[in-house]
Amino acid sequence: MTILVTGATGVIGRLVVQRLVAEGAHVRAVSRSPRDAALPYGVEVVQGDPARPGTTAGHFAGVEAVFLHPRSFGDSADRLLALAAERGVGKVVALSAMNVDDPFDLQPSRRRGDRNKEAEEAAVASGLTWTSLRASSFAGNTLQAWGAQIRAGDVVRYVHAGFRESPLDERDLAEVAARALLTDELAGRRLELTGPESLSHEEMVAVIAATLGRPLRFEELPPPAVAAHLIGNGLPEPFVRALMARYDHYAGRDQHPATGEVDKVLGRPARTYDDWVADHIAAFRNG
């Protein structure tokens, strides 16, 4: 079985590719810079840009399913999938997000290029067998948010200590994506995928502290101060503003309560945040 993967060199795309290879699938990875792809042995890396569908048209030959990454196609999802259908592709699995129906100004990832709503809508309208993976916030986001502070000291300064969500281990997402691509078990479904437990910012920092074996303290700061710090560290201002708006909007509520969907799909418990931290703890250590 040949599966074409867009966004194959990103965090999620790489994990999907690895899982598909482990399952024995032939993977065709589309990359704008094939020489720099550094994907597993046996993966067929082809040059193309899903945002310019004509550059990928020839790569659909012999492909049975497509993984559609929301950061890969710009405004061209419909055209890309129309080409796939014309060339005999039968299935699309779209990566989307649980906040896909929120106002766009509460979706920070849109400010970094993700088009989650467009990915899902294009998949549903494509005429292909489709599945949409509505993912909650990734566990790895906490490393990006707090890793530098934890490596430098014992205080994590951030917003809304009590903000709650159910962080999803990216490896579980990749495993669900592979199941959707390789079987028809999940066809026609919008899957809301979360981690197994709801945790606050302060509780997640406590998990990291316990795994590191040293004390960490969460110090809550007002959003404007945190926003200024993040922008000063190089994050795009539109992204930071949307992130702060999301935190403010859901303060006092659980944005992504655990759904248990990963357990049902995979037939095993979803990985906990403790599991994720234990497997990535070196990234939080200084040296």
Side-chain angles (χ1 to χ4, degrees):
M1 183 174 191
T2 297
I3 298 172
L4 186 141
V5 177
T6 66
T9 59
V11 173
I12 302 302
R14 285 184 182 278
L15 291 172
V16 172
V17 168
Q18 291 168 8
R19 186 69 196 181
L20 290 170
V21 169
E23 295 284 345
H26 174 233
V27 176
R28 186 172 295 159
V30 178
S31 173
R32 296 176 182 89
S33 303
R35 291 183 180 179
D36 301 325
L39 291 169
Y41 176 79
V43 172
E44 179 188 0
V45 184
V46 295
Q47 185 163 19
D49 181 356
R52 295 184 295 135
T55 68
T56 66
H59 302 324
F60 291 118
V63 169
E64 297 172 59
V66 172
F67 179 73
L68 183 65
H69 193 291
R71 201 171 291 186
S72 67
F73 53 74
D75 62 358
S76 301
D78 292 334
R79 286 179 285 157
L80 183 70
L81 295 185
L83 279 175
E86 288 172 9
R87 284 156 176 76
V89 176
K91 178 188 296 185
V92 57
V93 174
L95 176 59
S96 186
M98 282 188 68
N99 64 358
V100 66
D101 294 323
D102 284 357
F104 286 164
D105 59 1
L106 298 180
Q107 296 187 38
S109 67
R110 283 194 74 85
R111 303 304 191 269
R112 306 193 83 173
D114 283 346
R115 295 294 179 263
N116 297 308
K117 190 174 186 67
E118 292 86 342
E120 181 176 292
E121 290 180 345
V124 172
S126 67
L128 305 174
T129 299
W130 62 270
T131 304
S132 178
L133 309 179
R134 290 186 167 192
S136 68
S137 184
F138 300 146
N141 292 351
T142 59
L143 176 58
Q144 297 178 28
W146 306 325
Q149 292 188 69
I150 292 170
R151 290 190 294 271
D154 294 331
V155 180
V156 174
R157 298 176 176 88
Y158 206 61
V159 294
H160 294 301
F163 177 88
R164 306 187 72 84
E165 57 190 344
S166 302
L168 173 65
D169 191 307
E170 296 89 339
R171 295 169 295 183
D172 283 347
L173 172 58
E175 194 168 335
V176 173
R179 180 72 59 89
L181 288 161
L182 294 170
T183 77
D184 293 327
E185 297 171 10
L186 307 176
R189 295 178 60 186
R190 295 174 176 87
L191 297 168
E192 295 194 338
L193 304 172
T194 71
E197 57 185 339
S198 174
L199 296 168
S200 69
H201 284 163
E202 192 166 24
E203 287 167 344
M204 284 187 266
V205 169
V207 170
I208 299 168
T211 307
L212 280 172
R214 65 181 175 88
L216 296 175
R217 177 168 58 88
F218 190 100
E219 180 180 319
E220 182 172 294
L221 296 182
V226 173
H229 175 74
L230 294 176
I231 293 167
N233 282 348
L235 285 175
E237 183 172 352
F239 168 79
V240 173
R241 299 300 177 198
L243 182 64
M244 295 300 111
R246 170 177 169 255
Y247 289 147
D248 287 343
H249 181 77
Y250 284 101
R253 289 183 287 161
D254 193 336
Q255 186 189 16
H256 294 151
T259 63
E261 200 68 64
V262 170
D263 308 48
K264 296 173 189 174
V265 171
L266 300 181
R268 61 160 178 80
R271 293 178 173 93
T272 65
Y273 185 66
D274 297 64
D275 294 333
W276 183 89
V277 171
D279 291 338
H280 296 82
I281 196 62
F284 290 99
R285 290 196 172 105
N286 184 10

